[in-house]
């Protein structure tokens, strides 16, 4: 594969990415830009990759590297991708070895941008990113955090381990088409917490693992992903926009907002059906007498709202249902009551659903179909969900 490195301070993090790639057995040719070499020198890349390093198209001309590298690669990863590199790639420039390689590559291409927040948010960069995504390039959203100086914001390079995971996921897809390319999907994940007082809440056992698996796999299939995460303690899925929420009402606001421009919404979060009618301002004290029962009020059903008030015709709405008994009968009734297009029904039990790496499910649709997904990884289940979502999207 080719690891393209453009000229940003995050170039030093690409050394760690390179190690992860080579140690997992990949043969990696590093193609830096001239500016990248101002941050990390050619000997470092050559030593770490065990391959020659050139930035221009005039070295080893007899091997026609400006065509051969792109043609022979299984994957091109550009990390960090600066605003300038993104602009040059979007306009089809071929003025150095990396941009020439990008023009000749017919394999999956993954960009991990890193730049200051203002540069990332500038309409020029956003237009260029849209152009690249429309052409099939998987562009990760930069992470939020510390930037070069003391400033913080969106624009940080995703962690090398996360870029590595995204690269592995793209390679695992092999020649399969990026069927969510150009699609925007929203995934809710985790479990809501409804406060009783400043230190206590009513919550549930959802970890967010299934929601994050949905986000990761959608990115690997080319989607732009917004994750609405309720109390999730996992590292952010690389390349997704993550909106953090606590309560069901906050989740509702964030999901409905993100759903406006989305092609699909998947409600994997475990949402509290009720919340305490009163949230005490101060910590509740124990008393000698028996405590008063806690009065609860209903929370809005977000999935019902999404199914009823679609942001646009053709939007696909997916729900999850965790059931302990009469799984399929309860699932069918819930699918009808929620008005969604697909309902992923889990039987809650040992090694399934909550806070485990594995899951099994039956995915119901309103046409009477039922897709069985045997016990396997949450990523495997997520891929089946996206297979069905992609099929419904392409049918409209
Ligand atoms: N859901 C929601 N808003 C709620 C409750 C649930 O959007 N207030 C969504 C969940 O994200 C999930 C689906 O509805 O996708 C089903 O959640 P589940 O808890 O199984 O269903 P409930 O409607 O709460 O039914 P019950 O708890 O009675 O089984």
């Amino acid at each position: 594969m080719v690891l393209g490195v453009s000229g940003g301070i995050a170039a030093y993090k690409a050394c760690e990415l390179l190690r992860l790639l080579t140690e997992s057995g990949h043969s990696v040719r590093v193609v830096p830009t001239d500016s990248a070499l101002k941050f990390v020198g050619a000997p470092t890349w050559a030593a770490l990759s065990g391959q020659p390093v050139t930035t221009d198209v005039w070295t080893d001309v007899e091997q026609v590297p400006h065509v051969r590298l792109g043609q022979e690669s299984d994957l091109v990863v550009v990390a960090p991708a600066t605003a300038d590199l993104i602009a040059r790639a979007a306009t089809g420039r071929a003025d150095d070895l990396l941009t020439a390689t990008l023009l000749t590559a017919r394999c999956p291409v993954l960009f991990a941008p890193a730049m200051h927040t203002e540069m990332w948010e500038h309409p020029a960069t956003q237009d260029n990113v849209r152009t690249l995504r429309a052409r099939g390039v998987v562009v990760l959203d930069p992470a939020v955090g510390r930037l070069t100086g003391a400033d913080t914001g969106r624009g940080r390079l995703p962690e090398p381990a996360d870029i590595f995971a995204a690269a592995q996921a793209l390679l695992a897809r092999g020649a399969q088409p990026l069927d969510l390319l150009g699609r925007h999907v929203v995934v809710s994940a985790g479990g809501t917490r409804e406060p009783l007082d400043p230190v206590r809440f009513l919550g549930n056992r959802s970890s967010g693992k299934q929601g994050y698996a949905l986000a990761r796999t959608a990115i690997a299939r080319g989607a732009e992903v917004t994750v609405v995460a309720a109390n999730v303690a996992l590292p952010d899925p690389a390349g997704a926009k993550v909106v953090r929420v606590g309560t069901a009402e906050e989740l509702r606001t964030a999901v409905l907002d993100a759903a406006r421009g989305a092609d699909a919404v998947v409600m994997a979060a475990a949402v509290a059906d009720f919340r305490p009618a009163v949230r005490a301002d101060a910590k509740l004290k124990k008393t000698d007498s028996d405590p008063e029962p806690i009065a609860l009020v209903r929370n809005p059903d977000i999935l019902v709202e999404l199914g009823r008030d679609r942001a646009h015709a053709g939007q696909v709405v997916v729900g999850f249902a965790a059931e302990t008994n009469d799984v399929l009968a309860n699932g069918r009734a819930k699918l009808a009551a929620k008005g969604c297009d697909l309902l992923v029904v889990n039987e809650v039990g040992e090694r399934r659903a909550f806070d485990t790496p594995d899951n099994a499910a039956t995915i119901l649709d309103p046409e009477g179909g039922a897709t069985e997904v045997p016990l396997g990884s949450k990523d495997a289940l997520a891929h089946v969900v996206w297979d069905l979502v992609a099929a419904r999207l392409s049918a409209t």
Side-chain angles (χ1 to χ4, degrees), residues 267-273 299-303 319-323 334 338:
M267 284 292 294
V271 185
D273 292 319
N299 273 332
D301 193 314
I302 306 160
L303 185 56
F320 270 69
E323 303 289 345
K334 203 172 271 186
K338 302 271 189 179

Side-chain angles (χ1 to χ4, degrees), residues 228-311:
V228 180
N231 309 297
V232 180
L234 305 168
D236 286 354
K241 181 165 175 245
V242 181
V243 183
R244 300 196 171 278
V245 296
T247 65
E249 285 185 313
E250 289 166 7
L251 186 101
R252 174 179 176 272
T253 306
V255 166
L256 295 185
D257 185 43
R260 246 175 257 135
D263 297 291
V265 186
V266 182
M267 284 292 294
V271 185
D273 292 319
F274 302 97
R275 66 178 181 278
V278 179
R279 175 191 180 162
D281 290 333
K283 189 180 166 202
L284 297 168
K285 291 302 216 182
K286 65 175 171 290
T287 54
D288 290 335
S289 52
D290 283 345
E292 289 294 311
I294 297 166
L296 299 175
V297 292
R298 281 290 297 267
N299 273 332
D301 193 314
I302 306 160
L303 185 56
V304 167
E305 282 185 71
L306 287 166
R308 189 189 54 214
D309 314 321
R310 310 247 167 179

Side-chain angles (χ1 to χ4, degrees), residues 359-381:
N359 211 348
T362 307
I363 307 177
L364 304 177
D365 63 49
E367 295 81 34
T371 307
E372 290 291 336
V373 187
L375 188 62
S377 70
K378 289 188 170 175
D379 278 32
L381 172 58

